[in-house]
Amino acid sequence: MKSIVIFGAGNVATHLFHAFSKARDFRVIQVYNHRQEGLENFNSFCKTTTNINEVEPADVYLIAVKDDVIPAIANSIRYKNALTLHTSGGVSLDVLNDFPNSGVFYPVQTFSQYKPLDFNLIPVCIEVKVEEDISFMEKLAGNISNRIFKINSEQRKSLHLAAVFVNNFVNHLYAEGEEICNKNNIPFEILHPLIEETAAKAIIMRPEDAQTGPAKRNDQAVINSHLSLLDPEQQKIYKLLTQSIRNLHGKEL
Amino acid sequence: MKSIVIFGAGNVATHLFHAFSKARDFRVIQVYNHRQEGLENFNSFCKTTTNINEVEPADVYLIAVKDDVIPAIANSIRYKNALTLHTSGGVSLDVLNDFPNSGVFYPVQTFSQYKPLDFNLIPVCIEVKVEEDISFMEKLAGNISNRIFKINSEQRKSLHLAAVFVNNFVNHLYAEGEEICNKNNIPFEILHPLIEETAAKAIIMRPEDAQTGPAKRNDQAVINSHLSLLDPEQQKIYKLLTQSIRNLHGKEL
């Protein structure tokens, strides 16, 4: 049984903690957080601390904190012999340069506080500084997920960028859709099944092949009628995405 | 038992046909299509025709064809006494002005040829020209769906526009995400669970409250690093959506 210390007590840390609580070969022995808040969720399962100097030696240090805090945490860790990993899609492996054995353990998912997820289905992208660590890393990831991908730092940067498109930007379009509904006294729930099915379709077929709508068929009457209903900022978004759909589907607007 | 004639043999017509095949109070007696192709799917269940003059009298005429063909179909129908409905989110009720009893029966979903859907869960937005028809219309919709919404033409226009945002535009962002992955030899399937969860979250909480990412937290280092990886068209989309997220979340970029 190998030991893990988790750094952080937020959503990613909490989901990782629960996933490893069922792992065969690994056990979380301690959770560190910079403040007491959040640690109460772990108290009854393992040791916790708010003092970085009290962090115990372990086989794996898993740093699951906000991107901009990772360097500070890494600098404060005195024990350097653990395989030390961060969990961020957007941060370079270089921030862990002080550790002879380091890597990235990036679960590609959006984690919520109260919504349970089956970690087995969550893709985990792994990267190690020292090639000899790869089999240990695969074992670590394989203990909680069936979907392991070796992704280097360059690829991870692009993956994180693609995730911004399909998560952050998509979510903002949902928010724009809700605003349009609210302004017109339309219950947003009418669009819920469409939102789910649009996502489901993108998984069983290529999104490019699933494209429909006035932009794809270049229906200017509908496009102009839609534009007349939008505020200037929404008009910009509508025009740009319509043009981009036209470009992808081979015809100029 | 009331009778229905369906006009069209595409995805919407097919899904409606199957939904009404289990209905208690309604039966599809005929399917019309302008060409033979597609009608073979209905041949063994009811009459079919490619000749609009052979369309039989019925209680309900359900016009489930492409938006731009609806007026031509409506003009060709000789029997004017059916409650005559179209199924489009984007077309005015006025195109059915020749019929004393007309309405809109708009199922808010994206239909695929081979992907079965539980019609009971699909919101159906209804509108009638003559108020006396509303209870019959509610019965019709209630025979195949549990989610009936009375939506007038003005609202339906906005609803259709909101659907363009959460379906067409969202799907295009999936396509952009896939392109970024393909260019960097990253399997797009890594993003599948994120796509599904982003949609699931928008249904259990307000999308505005679910927003995360570099745009929301105004992380200029990540934003600039992302922009350097994109082509000019993608940069425009990235900048505009980032700015729009900043505007919604109260801070200027």
Side-chain angles (χ1 to χ4, degrees), chain A residues 99-195:
Chain A
F99 299 86
N101 300 85
S102 64
V104 179
F105 187 100
Y106 170 40
V108 186
Q109 188 50 288
T110 171
F111 297 99
S112 313
Q113 197 172 0
Y114 300 112
K115 193 161 181 298
L117 286 167
D118 183 354
F119 219 104
N120 264 306
L121 305 176
I122 298 175
V124 177
C125 296
I126 56 172
E127 181 182 9
V128 287
K129 181 163 75 174
V130 181
E131 189 52 33
E132 296 94 270
D133 288 331
I134 192 66
S135 65
F136 183 86
M137 186 72 150
E138 283 174 338
K139 192 176 173 186
L140 179 73
N143 256 250
I144 60 169
S145 171
N146 296 323
R147 302 185 181 181
I148 317 298
F149 297 86
K150 276 189 250 181
I151 294 289
N152 65 36
S153 274
E154 276 307 296
Q155 287 175 310
R156 186 159 44 82
K157 216 165 149 183
S158 296
L159 177 60
H160 186 244
L161 170 58
V164 165
F165 275 77
V166 306
N167 169 253
N168 299 162
F169 291 168
V170 159
N171 185 70
H172 184 62
L173 293 183
Y174 296 155
E176 294 286 355
E178 186 181 20
E179 198 193 330
I180 294 167
C181 286
N182 289 348
K183 270 191 187 161
N184 295 279
N185 295 315
I186 301 160
F188 184 55
E189 61 173 302
I190 295 180
L191 293 174
H192 284 175
L194 180 63
I195 285 172

Side-chain angles (χ1 to χ4, degrees), chain A residues 110 112 172 201 233 244 247, chain B residues 110 112 172 201 233 244 247:
Chain A
T110 171
S112 313
H172 184 62
K201 260 193 178 177
E233 184 182 306
S244 183
N247 293 347
Chain B
T110 172
S112 313
H172 184 61
K201 259 193 179 178
E233 185 182 306
S244 183
N247 293 346

Side-chain angles (χ1 to χ4, degrees), chain A residues 32-33 37-38 57 71 78 80 106 121 123 146 186 189 193 207 233 235 241 243:
Chain A
Y32 160 86
N33 197 36
E37 203 185 320
R78 291 197 294 190
K80 302 288 183 195
Y106 170 40
L121 305 176
N146 296 323
I186 301 160
E189 61 173 302
E233 184 182 306
Q235 284 178 354
L241 291 176
Q243 182 63 57

Side-chain angles (χ1 to χ4, degrees), chain B residues 2-104:
Chain B
K2 300 288 184 181
S3 56
I4 302 175
V5 174
I6 291 178
F7 295 76
N11 290 335
V12 177
T14 304
H15 281 267
L16 282 170
F17 180 86
H18 288 297
F20 278 113
S21 71
K22 297 165 217 146
R24 208 183 53 180
D25 309 311
F26 294 86
R27 192 167 60 92
V28 177
I29 58 164
Q30 191 181 32
V31 176
Y32 160 85
N33 197 35
H34 70 295
R35 54 177 181 175
Q36 194 58 40
E37 203 184 320
L39 285 179
E40 63 275 10
N41 300 321
F42 306 99
N43 274 338
S44 45
F45 304 107
C46 67
K47 293 181 196 166
T48 61
T49 182
T50 58
N51 182 348
I52 198 118
N53 295 319
E54 285 177 4
V55 167
E56 303 196 348
D59 298 302
V60 180
Y61 280 176
L62 204 45
I63 305 176
V65 300
K66 283 189 182 144
D67 286 7
D68 52 353
V69 190
I70 296 173
I73 296 279
N75 284 334
S76 320
I77 294 176
R78 292 198 293 192
Y79 181 75
K80 302 288 184 194
N81 294 333
L83 175 61
T84 300
L85 315 170
H86 73 68
T87 61
S88 169
V91 174
S92 165
L93 176 51
D94 298 346
V95 302
L96 302 177
N97 258 347
D98 284 355
F99 299 86
N101 300 84
S102 63
V104 179

